[in-house]
């Protein structure tokens, strides 16, 4: 998880983050760390596994519910810090590069922005799909659609897709 402060006129500020392991869990408090390694607040979340039907192209999905965060740092202070100004925070969920090092198409999912709140409540659920081992189901789906794959690489040529859709 990474938590950012949304800024309308400048690049968004990184507030803090945490790495988690995808495993089923009830409500947990996870300590958040700044880039400099300083502890700052915590994230509230839970994770559930959703198994898909046997014939599905996907094995299932992790359902990550981000409930909220507490004691986030305030990045919206200017030279004259107004105590009424606080961060406009949002969460970004993305796979860690050290876990998905061979992932050609990394993804990220982003929550809504909670304005002026250092203790935001999101209560948003993100789905992280999981393929069957080896992706054999997906290869079969592409065969059915008439798309070529060689050694697990699917043709992503725009012309290939357009021609297949015309057929």
């Amino acid at each position: 998880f990474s938590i950012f402060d949304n800024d309308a006129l400048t690049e968004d500020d990184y507030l803090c983050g945490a790495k988690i392991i995808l495993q089923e869990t009830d409500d947990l408090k996870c300590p958040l760390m700044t880039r400099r390694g300083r502890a700052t607040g915590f994230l509230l979340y839970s994770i559930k596994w959703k198994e898909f039907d046997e014939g599905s192209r996907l094995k299932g999905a992790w359902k990550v519910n981000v409930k909220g965060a507490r004691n986030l740092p305030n990045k919206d202070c200017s030279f004259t810090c107004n105590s009424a100004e606080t961060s406009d925070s949002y969460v970004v969920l993305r796979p860690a590069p050290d876990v998905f090092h061979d992932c050609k198409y990394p993804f990220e999912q982003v929550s809504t922005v909670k304005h002026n709140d250092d203790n935001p409540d999101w209560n948003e659920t993100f789905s992280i799909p999981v393929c069957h081992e080896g992706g054999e189901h997906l290869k079969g789906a592409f065969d059915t659609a008439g798309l070529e794959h060689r050694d697990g690489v699917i043709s992503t040529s725009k012309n290939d897709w357009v021609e297949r859709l015309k057929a």
Side-chain angles (χ1 to χ4, degrees):
F1 294 103
S2 297
I3 301 179
F4 291 86
D5 172 39
N6 179 261
D7 291 322
L9 301 177
T10 61
E11 186 175 332
D12 292 353
D13 298 312
Y14 177 84
L15 296 176
C16 49
K19 283 187 181 180
I20 61 162
I21 297 172
L22 286 175
Q23 62 186 22
E24 282 199 276
T25 180
D26 291 324
D27 296 351
L28 275 184
K29 281 181 170 181
C30 176
L32 295 166
M33 305 294 277
T34 65
R35 283 203 172 119
R36 294 184 176 167
R38 187 176 61 87
T40 177
F42 56 90
L43 183 74
L44 303 161
Y45 71 96
S46 65
I47 301 175
K48 301 292 180 209
W49 171 252
K50 169 78 170 132
E51 189 81 25
F52 290 169
D53 294 335
E54 189 174 316
S56 175
R57 294 179 185 165
L58 296 171
K59 182 177 182 178
W62 290 106
K63 301 291 188 174
V64 180
N65 181 260
V66 179
K67 297 176 183 316
R70 298 295 176 262
N71 304 321
L72 295 178
N74 184 356
K75 291 284 187 168
D76 280 348
C77 275
S78 57
F79 292 110
T80 59
C81 188
N82 177 353
S83 61
E85 289 184 41
T86 60
S87 295
D88 304 319
S89 52
Y90 65 93
V91 175
V92 177
L93 176 68
R94 70 173 62 96
D98 55 333
V99 175
F100 290 91
H101 53 83
D102 60 346
C103 185
K104 292 182 182 178
Y105 307 105
F107 67 91
E108 64 180 32
Q109 297 182 44
V110 181
S111 74
T112 56
V113 175
K114 297 298 180 179
H115 297 284
N116 292 322
D117 196 347
D118 292 336
N119 298 298
D121 289 314
W122 287 287
N123 200 29
E124 295 182 31
T125 302
F126 302 95
S127 293
I128 302 172
V130 177
C131 290
H132 287 279
E133 191 66 35
E136 294 302 319
H137 283 69
L138 291 177
K139 289 180 186 175
F142 280 101
D143 285 340
T144 303
L147 296 171
E148 295 180 26
H149 63 84
R150 291 182 193 91
D151 299 321
V153 177
I154 309 300
S155 172
T156 55
S157 161
K158 178 181 170 187
N159 292 336
D160 286 353
W161 287 94
V162 170
E163 290 304 314
R164 301 284 190 240
L165 290 172
K166 287 181 183 176

